[in-house]
Amino acid sequence: MAVPKRKMSRSNTRHRRAQWKASTPQLVPVRIDGATHLVPQHLVKAYERGLINQKDY
């Protein structure tokens, strides 16, 4: 495990953390029971198999 040799200043720590950005999931249209829904791409198979309902997410 990496261990820092020196203490990092509060300013440097916060500047580093501020660079991280969460990205929105890519939505894909999926046809379920005759209706088209926009769902995240990584959950398409779960929706098609019926493991997740549109109300759950």
Side-chain angles (χ1 to χ4, degrees):
M1 187 170 126
V3 178
K5 282 192 170 184
R6 297 183 186 273
K7 181 176 181 178
M8 191 177 218
S9 70
R10 180 181 293 173
S11 176
N12 284 343
T13 301
R14 290 183 177 164
H15 279 281
R16 177 176 42 81
R17 288 180 180 165
Q19 298 303 314
W20 184 85
K21 299 278 189 297
S23 59
T24 57
Q26 182 179 355
L27 298 179
V28 179
V30 175
R31 193 164 195 88
I32 303 169
D33 297 331
T36 303
H37 300 284
L38 289 176
V39 298
Q41 186 175 10
H42 68 280
L43 295 176
V44 170
K45 286 186 180 182
Y47 276 100
E48 290 172 346
R49 293 176 184 164
L51 301 175
I52 304 175
N53 295 329
Q54 183 64 27
K55 298 170 197 162
D56 294 343
Y57 190 71

